[in-house]
Amino acid sequence: MKRPRFLPDNMTLMLFLVVCIASLFPAKGLYALAFDHLSTAMIALLFFMHGAKLSRQAVIAGMTHWRLHLLVMAFTFAVFPILGLMLKPALLMLVTPELYLGILFLCVLPSTVQSSIAFTSVAHGNVPAAVCSASASNLIGIFLTPLLVNLLVVAHGESHASADAMLKIIYQLLLPFVAGQLARPWLQSFIDKHAGTLKIVDQSSILLVVFVAFSEAVVQGLWHQLPFMMLISLLLISAVMLAIIMGLTMLTSRRLGFNKEDEITIVFCGSKKSLASGVPMAKVLFASHTVGMVLLPLMLFHQLQLMVCAVLAQRYAKR
């Protein structure tokens, strides 16, 4: 039976299911503590696998196209955050300060890897450059995202110790990533052979962290603080931000003289935000009772970007 076109992807459906389970049966007490420790271990495994899967050859091969990569990084880590700050007066009229922090967090995340490359391939763009740009975005994001989060969060009144957050990033994310890169020569054949199974490990890690985050948020009264119309507002905000960024990436790449293949890569790599990186980083960087609220904008934006990019990739492919 053919899958209906309007039906979201399996990962999105599972995320929705996990949020529902956490809303109805949130983990409490010792169970919450056990799930929290397990999610920390799964995050370390997730970044170890990211490190082991990242091909150094692909990165080196694409590094020569420095103008394209510089433009993608500028949109990912500069234009996006600036847009979030510029829209602050309007956004605070529609959402709570906690959700606005979630929007800022979304703005400083790295680009996606798999979907950016996949959409670039479908649209017949510059795939080697997309591999390099998306991979570099995630690698740089391990260092740059925590710095930007601390800069923006501190500026908006959230009391977080920057040194403590950086230490957590180092031992929960960076060290496993480096270990994965060092182990890649011995693990590459195993990873290629069991790619499907390892994808399940990736998705399970994200789902577990989402369950822990939303359990804590529900216990703290998340759904009592969040009216339905605010969810609609978040969806509209995500749509407006995505439209602005995609329009800017398209216009800028054309004004700077990039060919159509490079334009496709810039649009798909420069306008997307990574759920796979954002979920574990939120757990590390934010207080446990705020993580659920912080992740809501990212989850909505993630689904919207997949739907929009799927349509855009088909249109590029028919050009």
Side-chain angles (χ1 to χ4, degrees):
M1 183 177 176
K2 189 176 180 181
R3 185 188 183 93
R5 294 183 62 183
F6 63 84
L7 194 65
D9 62 280
N10 290 335
M11 184 61 180
T12 300
L13 292 175
M14 287 189 290
L15 279 170
F16 178 75
L17 178 62
V18 165
V19 170
C20 290
I21 294 173
S23 300
L24 296 173
F25 309 104
K28 302 177 183 178
L30 291 177
Y31 291 104
L33 185 62
F35 275 117
D36 186 59
H37 289 318
L38 179 59
S39 66
T40 299
M42 290 293 285
I43 287 171
L45 176 62
L46 176 67
F47 273 78
F48 176 84
M49 298 310 303
H50 280 328
K53 287 188 291 186
L54 181 61
S55 169
R56 299 175 205 173
Q57 290 80 8
V59 174
I60 294 172
M63 284 178 65
T64 54
H65 207 343
W66 63 269
R67 289 178 67 243
L68 182 148
H69 304 315
L70 188 62
L71 186 59
V72 170
M73 296 303 157
F75 274 105
T76 302
F77 296 112
V79 177
F80 242 117
I82 291 172
L83 178 63
L85 292 173
M86 287 178 60
L87 293 176
K88 178 183 177 181
L91 296 182
L92 286 178
M93 294 173 62
L94 299 172
V95 298
T96 65
E98 291 80 10
L99 285 174
Y100 176 65
L101 287 180
I103 294 171
L104 285 182
F105 176 65
L106 157 72
C107 289
V108 299
L109 285 172
S111 178
T112 59
V113 178
Q114 290 92 340
S115 58
S116 291
I117 297 168
F119 285 131
T120 301
S121 177
V122 169
H124 307 306
N126 188 338
V127 176
V131 171
C132 177
S133 198
S135 301
S137 175
N138 274 256
L139 183 59
I140 292 171
I142 293 177
F143 300 96
L144 192 54
T145 294
L147 293 176
L148 291 173
V149 166
N150 277 279
L151 176 64
L152 295 177
V153 168
V154 168
H156 289 82
E158 180 82 7
S159 57
H160 250 293
S162 299
D164 180 62
M166 287 304 298
L167 284 174
K168 285 184 178 180
I169 285 290
I170 289 172
Y171 73 75
Q172 289 188 28
L173 307 184
L174 180 58
L175 289 182
F177 183 89
V178 172
Q181 272 282 287
L182 294 175
R184 178 174 167 78
W186 297 279
L187 293 178
Q188 184 174 355
S189 59
F190 176 83
I191 289 172
D192 294 340
K193 186 177 179 180
H194 299 88
T197 304
L198 295 176
K199 183 179 180 180
I200 295 175
V201 174
D202 284 358
Q203 294 178 342
S204 299
S205 303
I206 296 171
L207 293 172
L208 180 60
V209 174
V210 169
F211 175 74
V212 172
F214 272 86
S215 291
E216 176 71 21
V218 169
V219 171
Q220 297 291 330
L222 169 66
W223 299 123
H224 296 292
Q225 306 168 25
L226 192 67
F228 176 75
M229 287 307 299
M230 198 164 291
L231 283 175
I232 301 300
S233 297
L234 271 178
L235 188 59
L236 291 174
I237 290 168
S238 298
V240 169
M241 293 182 68
L242 183 61
I244 291 174
I245 289 294
M246 296 192 85
L248 287 175
T249 52
M250 196 176 296
L251 178 63
T252 305
S253 60
R254 292 175 182 177
R255 288 291 179 89
L256 294 179
F258 288 96
N259 61 32
K260 185 60 70 174
E261 288 73 20
D262 289 344
E263 175 194 319
I264 291 169
T265 303
I266 293 166
V267 169
F268 286 126
C269 293
S271 65
K272 314 250 316 297
K273 292 296 182 177
S274 174
L275 182 72
S277 296
V279 170
M281 282 187 177
K283 183 180 182 297
V284 173
L285 293 169
F286 292 92
S288 58
H289 65 277
T290 65
V291 173
M293 194 78 79
V294 166
L295 286 177
L296 267 178
L298 174 59
M299 293 174 65
L300 290 175
F301 188 89
H302 172 78
Q303 175 57 26
L304 188 63
Q305 72 183 6
L306 292 180
M307 294 169 63
V308 172
C309 288
V311 174
L312 185 61
Q314 294 295 333
R315 292 193 175 184
Y316 267 126
K318 293 177 182 177
R319 71 186 187 278

